[in-house]
Each structure stands twice: as C-alpha cells, then as structure tokens.
Amino acid sequence: MKATTAILAAVTTTFVIAGTADAGLLGTGAGFDIPDDDPVGASTSFVAGSSGQIAEITVNLDNLIHTWSGDLIMTLTHDAGAGDVVSATFVNRPGSTTDGGGTFGSGVDYAGNYSFNDAGDDLLTSLNSAGVSLAGGTYSHVALVGGTDALSTFNGRDTAGTWTLNVSDNAQADTGTLGGWSVDVTTVPAPGALALLGIAGLAGRRRRG
C-alpha cells in the first residue's frame, strides 16, 4: 500500500506601513458680532468626525473687522467628550501689558482675512510695522508673548469632537464683527497593517507500507 501525504505550511507576515500626512478643511463656524468691553465675548462651534491625529492646525478668520486689535483675545477649544477638553488662547491683546507694552495694546485695526498658524509671521512685529490696518496673511502670536498658547497644543489629538472659537473685546469704545471662521488640519492616520499570505514551505513525505 502506498500513501502520499503532502503538508502545506503557510505563514502570515505583517508589515507596518507609516500613514501619510493628509491636509484639509476640518470644519467651519458661523460668524458673530463681537461685543464691546465684554470678557465673555462671543462664540460659535462646529462638530467634526475622526480623520486622524493632528500634526498641524491653522485657524482661519474670514472678514474680521475690528478697530484696535489690542482689545481682542481669541481662544480655540476642542471638546472630545467625557471631560477631555483642551483650549489654546492663540491671540491675547497684542501690544498690551501681556506683551510688556501699554495698557490698551495695539491700535492697528483688523480689516480682512487672517489665518493663525505657529509657523506664521509674528503678529506683534507685523502690527508694529502696519499702517491703519493689518494686511491679510498668516500670523503667529507665540514668539513674543508669554500669555498665549501655541496651536501645537492640539497636536496628537484625534480630530473628532466639538470645536469652538471664542473672541472677546477687553477694553472700551471699540466693536467689531467676524464673518466666519474655519479650521484646517494636517493629520497623520494610525499606522496601517498589510498582511501578506505567502507560502513558507511545501514538504512532501512518502510512506510505503
């Protein structure tokens, strides 16, 4: 009697592939009036889904009109739920005592579209060299100010949750409006795994009986 037994062995090998960065719009918030001399200020929010971990973030302010830029404090807050809340005050009365300057801060006006990113031009330096109003552009208020937070505060957090922008006027005699706002993020997805099924070996054994 002759019997032939073939044994097929297979192994699964897992390769970890680093996720590629993905940049894009996270969400948009409605505009609002900015009340004069009111530290509570005004806020609007949007809800975002999960699109990965944040590697870089930019806050865009559309049609911000406000005299005396040194009155304003701007804070972005991310509420991920279950008590997980993080805030970053990325503009804090530029040119005021927070900056080691005067009581009232910079008298240059906001009158355009502005973005804030940690790699932007220094806000206070730009205000000091501006004319009546600050030119539209991308700014950062981190380099010279101890009273502000880097937007990198949000790095490593998942994008999912409620995002809120608050803007407050903290001195008398000036009011303004914000036409709308949005947040752009660069995200890095969790590392993916690719499973490849390969043939590790084929053994044949012949038995005679």
Side-chain angles (χ1 to χ4, degrees):
M1 187 176 75
K2 182 173 22 176
T4 302
T5 304
I7 302 172
L8 179 64
V11 296
T12 300
T13 304
T14 300
F15 296 90
V16 176
I17 302 174
T20 56
D22 185 24
L25 175 68
L26 180 63
T28 60
F32 47 80
D33 293 333
I34 304 168
D36 182 40
D37 195 19
D38 181 359
V40 174
S43 304
T44 55
S45 303
F46 67 82
V47 177
S50 177
S51 60
Q53 294 180 339
I54 297 170
E56 184 178 7
I57 190 167
T58 301
V59 181
N60 306 300
L61 307 179
D62 300 328
N63 198 26
L64 173 61
I65 307 296
H66 195 285
T67 53
W68 213 280
S69 58
D71 287 0
L72 296 188
I73 296 175
M74 306 181 194
T75 301
L76 182 67
T77 299
H78 177 221
D79 185 345
D84 182 7
V85 180
V86 170
S87 295
T89 295
F90 60 94
V91 172
N92 192 350
R93 302 199 64 192
S96 70
T97 50
T98 304
D99 277 327
T103 302
F104 299 109
S106 174
V108 175
D109 300 340
Y110 289 115
N113 299 325
Y114 305 98
S115 295
F116 288 88
N117 177 288
D118 288 349
D121 295 334
D122 180 72
L123 177 62
L124 184 59
T125 300
S126 300
L127 288 170
N128 287 342
S129 62
V132 175
S133 60
L134 179 67
T138 301
Y139 297 97
S140 170
H141 197 208
V142 175
L144 299 180
V145 186
T148 57
D149 304 310
L151 287 168
S152 60
T153 298
F154 300 106
N155 286 4
R157 293 176 65 80
D158 191 273
T159 56
T162 301
W163 293 85
T164 301
L165 176 69
N166 176 270
V167 181
S168 64
D169 179 293
N170 296 269
Q172 295 180 352
D174 294 277
T175 59
T177 59
L178 176 64
W181 63 281
S182 62
V183 173
D184 294 332
V185 293
T186 299
T187 58
V188 179
L194 177 64
L196 297 178
L197 181 65
I199 303 299
L202 177 62
R205 186 176 64 181
R206 175 177 291 180
R207 299 178 59 188
R208 288 197 177 106

